[in-house]
Amino acid sequence: MGNQLSFSQTEHRREEMSQNLGYRLDPRGKADGIMIIIISCVYSINVVAVLFMLWNRKYPPLKCKSPVLMACMMVAGILWFVGDIQANGHVPLEHTPLRNCKAFGVWVRILLGVCTLSTLIAMRSYGLFRVFCKNQPFRGRGLYVPYAAYCLCMLVYGIVSQVVSPSLTIHYLLHVDICYYETGFKASMFAIIWVTWLIVAILSWRIRHIKSSFNEAREMLIACTAVFVVLIFTTVMHYAVPLFPLNVRLRVLTTSFDHLATNVFWWSIMAVPIVSCLVRRDAYLEEWMDKLRQDGLQRMYDVQSPNATNNKGSSVYNRNSLFTADYARLHTEMPVPKPMNSGYPYFDPVYGAGVYPMAHTDAVLYPTAYIEEVPHHAAPQSKKKHRGNLW
């Protein structure tokens, strides 16, 4: 039987028609089925890991990894895989919903899969850049407006792709039962993906020297290297061999590399905190807190030692601590500002802008500690009301 399995009764017809048209076609078979099963099992494990991560999202070493964003990335990766199964020709399309090339090849694979995953990664990197390089919070219009603008552009791109003739974007080839991307349309897709990942690489380089407790320079180096290798391979493949879905080796390699890069990125960031939370929760929390102490950040985060126990004898940590990116932006090594006539200027995410009295020069280094020490009426008042919990 070789590579051939009874995926569809159309495989023999596909081979005959492709030979008449001068194409060499490898029938869908064992290699495709094995690849789909292996990657599906990997994503099943990933889903369990995501559920575990969300269940323990208040655990400080996991919380600092932006668990909701990481969960959304995994969902985007799964959608990308569904789109790859269709676009790379691993299963029969005829007489199935997968024959709708624009729905799965553009919306599911490109927009909800590749572009969503890439922009979430860019958003996370930009958030860390705002916190540690621009001293701005990991929230607010400055973070969400660029992301919303990108999503709007992708929505417009999808709508235009939907209304434009399939002969200019992506269309179904009946004789070989695959979806085919036109050259110009492929160029626009790759341009978007390349620009997004260049932004991620630049931001990752800019934040490579942030505090060690939050530094992911090594992880991002591994992830970006894997992604760019796969991007180069996929770009060359799509232009050098436009009908690569007809070759079993090339289509299996392309899909496998795509999702190898996705998993390398995700697990390079989340493997240590997830596994440590599972097998050595308190010991890893103590190690993580030691890094906070070395970086001078424990006072800001107010995380209790895991050696502290509750009345039931189990270890605890303070879930209501000021563990928030609003305060993380105060942790960068900034020079002490020059004093004004009345004291030192500052900006606090809760109390707003103001000036510390000259008698409290230590408040420049430990603003939250000073605010807790002064009477409530003496604390600088913000013009805006504080919204919700700082968590």
Side-chain angles (χ1 to χ4, degrees):
M1 291 180 62
N3 182 54
Q4 187 173 354
L5 289 179
S6 57
F7 266 123
S8 169
Q9 296 179 353
T10 63
E11 290 304 302
H12 288 297
R13 179 174 60 82
R14 289 177 69 233
E15 287 187 271
E16 294 174 359
M17 293 183 66
S18 63
Q19 289 174 0
N20 294 334
L21 294 172
Y23 297 137
R24 180 184 180 278
L25 181 148
D26 293 330
R28 301 167 178 124
K30 289 188 296 184
D32 299 278
I34 292 171
M35 183 214 69
I36 292 173
I37 291 172
I38 291 175
I39 298 181
S40 297
C41 291
V42 169
Y43 276 116
S44 297
I45 296 172
N46 292 350
V47 169
V48 175
V50 167
L51 294 176
F52 177 81
M53 175 186 68
L54 293 176
W55 181 261
N56 294 277
R57 64 188 180 277
K58 296 297 184 181
Y59 181 61
L62 284 177
K63 188 175 180 64
C64 73
K65 299 295 185 181
S66 305
V68 174
L69 275 181
M70 298 304 294
C72 292
M73 291 179 200
M74 186 56 66
V75 173
I78 293 173
L79 292 174
W80 183 3
F81 176 54
V82 173
D84 270 356
I85 290 176
Q86 182 247 32
N88 291 344
H90 295 293
V91 294
L93 309 184
E94 192 175 9
H95 307 306
T96 71
L98 294 174
R99 182 172 173 171
N100 189 335
C101 294
K102 288 187 176 180
F104 287 90
V106 177
W107 289 95
V108 174
R109 185 193 187 209
I110 302 301
L111 299 181
L112 296 178
V114 182
C115 289
T116 299
L117 176 64
S118 301
T119 191
L120 287 172
I121 295 170
M123 179 183 178
R124 184 176 182 274
S125 299
Y126 180 58
L128 292 174
F129 174 75
R130 280 172 55 86
V131 169
F132 290 100
C133 298
K134 299 184 70 175
N135 302 317
Q136 296 174 352
F138 197 101
R139 63 184 65 181
R141 286 178 295 181
L143 178 65
Y144 299 131
V145 167
Y147 178 72
Y150 182 94
C151 292
L152 180 61
C153 291
M154 292 301 97
L155 179 61
V156 172
Y157 181 86
I159 293 173
V160 171
S161 302
Q162 192 69 37
V163 299
V164 171
S165 171
S167 62
L168 299 175
T169 54
I170 179 174
H171 57 277
Y172 178 68
L173 299 180
L174 176 62
H175 54 284
V176 288
D177 192 36
I178 62 171
C179 289
Y180 179 75
Y181 292 91
E182 290 297 327
T183 303
F185 187 64
K186 282 193 293 189
S188 66
M189 293 189 309
F190 281 114
I192 293 171
I193 297 170
W194 272 98
V195 168
T196 304
W197 272 98
L198 285 173
I199 293 172
V200 172
I202 292 171
L203 291 173
S204 300
W205 177 259
R206 294 291 299 275
I207 61 177
R208 68 191 185 280
H209 293 314
I210 65 176
K211 293 290 188 178
S212 63
S213 307
F214 303 92
N215 193 306
E216 297 174 352
R218 181 174 56 186
E219 293 86 343
M220 289 304 297
L221 175 62
I222 296 172
C224 287
T225 301
V227 168
F228 279 110
V229 167
V230 171
L231 266 179
I232 293 171
F233 173 82
T234 305
T235 304
V236 171
M237 182 66 62
H238 273 268
Y239 283 96
V241 191
L243 291 176
F244 74 90
L246 302 183
N247 185 303
V248 63
R249 292 183 179 87
L250 295 182
R251 65 176 179 254
V252 168
L253 276 177
T254 301
T255 302
S256 300
F257 282 172
D258 284 348
H259 300 282
L260 174 64
T262 301
N263 282 273
V264 165
F265 168 80
W266 201 89
W267 281 105
S268 66
I269 294 176
M270 298 306 304
V272 172
I274 286 179
V275 174
S276 298
C277 180
L278 178 64
V279 301
R280 49 192 296 271
R281 184 185 185 94
D282 291 344
Y284 181 68
L285 179 57
E286 181 62 42
E287 293 172 4
W288 187 81
M289 288 172 57
D290 286 340
K291 287 186 177 181
L292 288 184
R293 296 187 191 100
Q294 294 170 10
D295 294 339
L297 306 183
Q298 187 190 20
R299 187 169 184 173
M300 296 293 184
Y301 287 113
D302 187 29
V303 182
Q304 295 181 12
S305 171
N307 294 327
T309 58
N310 57 21
N311 55 6
K312 296 182 179 180
S314 58
S315 61
V316 296
Y317 53 86
N318 188 358
R319 293 177 179 267
N320 296 317
S321 64
L322 298 176
F323 190 84
T324 169
D326 283 338
Y327 282 95
R329 66 184 181 79
L330 300 173
H331 301 155
T332 53
E333 296 178 357
M334 297 182 294
V336 177
K338 296 181 180 179
M340 300 172 63
N341 293 335
S342 57
Y344 287 84
Y346 77 97
F347 180 85
D348 183 82
V350 178
Y351 295 95
V355 177
Y356 290 114
M358 292 292 290
H360 292 277
T361 55
D362 62 328
V364 177
L365 299 179
Y366 302 104
T368 55
Y370 170 69
I371 290 171
E372 291 173 358
E373 292 170 2
V374 301
H376 178 69
H377 65 274
Q381 297 297 318
S382 172
K383 294 181 180 179
K384 295 183 180 180
K385 293 182 179 179
H386 172 55
R387 297 180 179 179
N389 194 316
L390 285 178
W391 270 94

